[in-house]
Amino acid sequence: MRKHSILGMILILLLAGCAPSFEDKQEVVQDSKSKKETAIIPKYKISDEYYQTILPFEPSKARGLVVSNLNTRYDIEEFENGLMRLAQTQFDPDDYLFQEGQMLNSSTISSWLNRKYTKSQLKEKDMKASENVGLNPVDPGKGDIDKRNEENPIYLAHILEHNYLVKTKDNSVSLGGVVIGLAMNSVHYYQKEAFGATYEQKIDSQKIKQEGEKIAAEVLKRLRNTEKLKNVPITIALFEQNEKSSVVPGNFISYTNIGQNSDSIGKWTDLDEEYFLFPSASAEKKYRDDVNTFTNFKEDVEEYFPNFNGVIGRAFYMDKQLQSLNIDIPIQFYGNSEALGFTQYVAGLVMERFPNYISVQVSITSVNGPEALIVREANQDEPTVHIYE
């Protein structure tokens, strides 16, 4: 079952006045850069399906790169949250703690995202052979530019690292595993001249998977050559990001778990995940019944405000089954009582219109910002509702 993002769940708790208390905590010892440091594990946990983290918070060594390397905020959110969801296939949240990536820094990831260079290109750039670590294909630099980009697109857009720590008997924590996400392009964008028009080259899904698996093998080799990662379990997942104009995120297409003593990739597990915009022709063609349910909800909302037409949904499917639906309702209110009445009405519609086996989140906004948030988790008897003051 697809769950809401951790940040989203924390927001709900804070809004409900149930902010976590960290007074009840456990102190452990963390080995950081060969120095023993005291870290804190808060006892509070949002859900059994979420990882606890340690304090003080250690930001990723490649913090901020994901924002510039992925196409949309939808891709960013799904790439980060989905990677944590897939981590659970190898690292149980009851046994492991989450920490942002500490092994790969910004310069390392940026260099890996480059194209591979020919010997002549290295000479022109005054680079050493040891610096030729790009994981994307060589652009020969000569010949028809369209053909070059068609044959040698940028496949790899970003690399995201998550670390998972495990507690030991001597009240300390150590690195217990690593999860690596490889964000792959479904569309390659290029320019024929500086500041000129941007052209695009679509990349076949099978080619994305094939190149992703090839890149993953090289990434694993490099990770195993890192002293701290020689024998820890590693999970690598392939994410196919959507085009820049998309209003729904891309999705994970496969993952592989590598044992702590293994330096090669065995079996890949294929994933059947996809997002759809409601309403849309593509969604109606594939999931007509679900779109009809959403349309009935949309019409009920429009009946409350006859001149309003702006309800949008983003549906997440796993194995052809609807798992969650995030709905945005941008509307203008003319008083608190109007906002309250409308929110109560929509909360009732959520319970009436949508089957209880899916998670539904409704965000009601206006030109003034967020107005209300309604969350109905799967199999939940009553929704969680917050009216922003």
Side-chain angles (χ1 to χ4, degrees):
M1 179 60 65
R2 176 126 192 311
K3 299 296 181 184
H4 298 288
S5 71
I6 288 179
L7 291 178
M9 292 303 297
I10 291 175
L11 173 63
I12 293 167
L13 288 165
L14 291 173
L15 294 174
C18 302
S21 170
F22 299 118
E23 293 179 359
D24 188 12
K25 56 186 180 292
Q26 176 185 1
E27 291 190 355
V28 293
V29 176
Q30 181 183 17
D31 187 353
S32 177
K33 297 180 181 179
S34 301
K35 296 181 180 179
K36 300 293 184 178
E37 299 178 352
T38 300
I40 295 172
I41 305 174
K43 287 288 183 68
Y44 185 88
K45 194 175 183 184
I46 294 173
S47 164
D48 290 338
E49 297 184 25
Y50 291 130
Y51 292 96
Q52 289 178 290
T53 60
I54 63 172
L55 301 175
F57 171 74
E58 290 285 345
S60 168
K61 298 297 184 183
R63 190 179 191 182
L65 275 186
V66 67
V67 176
S68 57
N69 290 339
L70 293 193
N71 288 336
T72 70
R73 64 181 179 87
Y74 304 112
D75 280 318
I76 294 170
E77 181 179 347
E78 176 60 16
F79 187 40
E80 293 182 327
N81 294 332
L83 191 64
M84 193 175 296
R85 170 169 49 83
L86 290 177
Q88 297 179 24
T89 63
Q90 179 142 316
F91 307 113
D92 193 321
D94 289 335
D95 302 322
Y96 291 86
L97 306 167
F98 173 80
Q99 186 177 51
E100 291 198 349
Q102 303 297 309
M103 303 298 156
L104 303 178
N105 58 32
S106 295
S107 60
T108 297
I109 290 179
S110 294
S111 64
W112 289 9
L113 296 178
N114 286 334
R115 287 185 179 275
K116 197 81 172 176
Y117 298 123
T118 63
K119 289 184 178 179
S120 60
Q121 288 171 339
L122 283 176
K123 187 175 182 180
E124 290 174 5
K125 294 177 179 293
D126 194 25
M127 292 175 61
K128 301 176 182 178
S130 59
E131 298 174 310
N132 193 17
V133 294
L135 293 170
N136 279 302
V138 171
D139 176 4
K142 297 179 180 179
D144 182 76
I145 191 168
D146 289 319
K147 185 177 181 180
R148 280 160 40 203
N149 280 279
E150 179 183 351
E151 295 178 350
N152 307 290
I154 297 291
Y155 293 110
L156 182 63
H158 188 58
I159 300 172
L160 182 63
E161 174 200 356
H162 284 170
N163 295 161
Y164 290 89
L165 310 179
V166 62
K167 289 182 286 186
T168 59
K169 293 180 181 180
D170 60 349
N171 203 38
S172 64
V173 293
S174 61
L175 183 64
V178 171
V179 177
I180 299 292
L182 303 180
M184 309 295 294
N185 285 320
S186 61
V187 177
H188 166 59
Y189 297 94
Y190 65 97
Q191 292 177 303
K192 296 182 181 181
E193 55 188 25
F195 309 111
T198 298
Y199 299 84
E200 59 182 61
Q201 174 66 46
K202 292 187 180 298
I203 305 175
D204 179 74
S205 293
Q206 286 301 317
K207 187 65 173 178
I208 293 171
K209 190 173 186 297
Q210 176 185 337
E211 294 297 326
E213 291 180 0
K214 188 188 303 183
I215 292 170
E218 177 60 27
V219 168
L220 176 62
K221 178 182 176 181
R222 296 180 185 185
L223 295 178
R224 287 303 191 212
N225 286 332
T226 302
E227 183 62 33
K228 291 184 178 180
L229 302 178
K230 284 185 179 297
N231 55 11
V232 299
I234 295 175
T235 292
I236 301 178
L238 303 183
F239 177 80
E240 182 178 335
Q241 76 161 330
N242 239 327
E243 59 188 345
K244 291 182 178 181
S245 61
S246 177
V247 293
V248 293
N251 55 274
F252 282 92
I253 58 177
S254 61
Y255 71 91
T256 182
N257 293 328
I258 302 110
Q260 62 180 16
N261 296 316
S262 176
D263 57 3
S264 63
I265 295 175
K267 179 182 177 182
W268 284 88
T269 300
D270 292 333
L271 297 168
D272 183 5
E273 299 181 355
E274 54 188 346
Y275 279 87
F276 283 92
L277 181 70
F278 281 4
S280 67
S282 59
E284 187 168 358
K285 181 179 180 180
K286 195 166 185 178
Y287 299 109
R288 180 182 296 272
D289 290 344
D290 292 335
V291 174
N292 286 341
T293 298
F294 174 82
T295 301
N296 291 334
F297 169 86
K298 181 175 181 289
E299 290 175 349
D300 288 340
V301 171
E302 292 167 355
E303 185 176 328
Y304 192 95
F305 285 107
N307 296 324
F308 170 72
N309 184 15
V311 182
I312 296 295
R314 294 176 181 84
F316 173 72
Y317 285 85
M318 183 185 295
D319 298 325
K320 305 294 189 296
Q321 296 295 317
L322 180 59
Q323 303 293 315
S324 66
L325 181 61
N326 287 354
I327 301 172
D328 294 326
I329 305 179
I331 202 163
Q332 183 59 50
F333 296 112
Y334 296 95
N336 291 336
S337 59
E338 190 175 87
L340 175 60
F342 181 70
T343 301
Q344 290 177 329
Y345 175 68
V346 173
L349 290 180
V350 168
M351 302 304 294
E352 293 171 11
R353 287 297 186 186
F354 299 110
N356 68 351
Y357 60 82
I358 68 171
S359 298
V360 181
Q361 178 174 301
V362 181
S363 177
I364 302 173
T365 60
S366 72
V367 293
N368 298 319
E371 296 286 351
L373 180 67
I374 303 168
V375 178
R376 200 283 308 274
E377 291 286 357
N379 302 314
Q380 188 175 346
D381 293 331
E382 294 291 338
T384 300
V385 180
H386 177 77
I387 307 290
Y388 293 84
E389 297 295 338

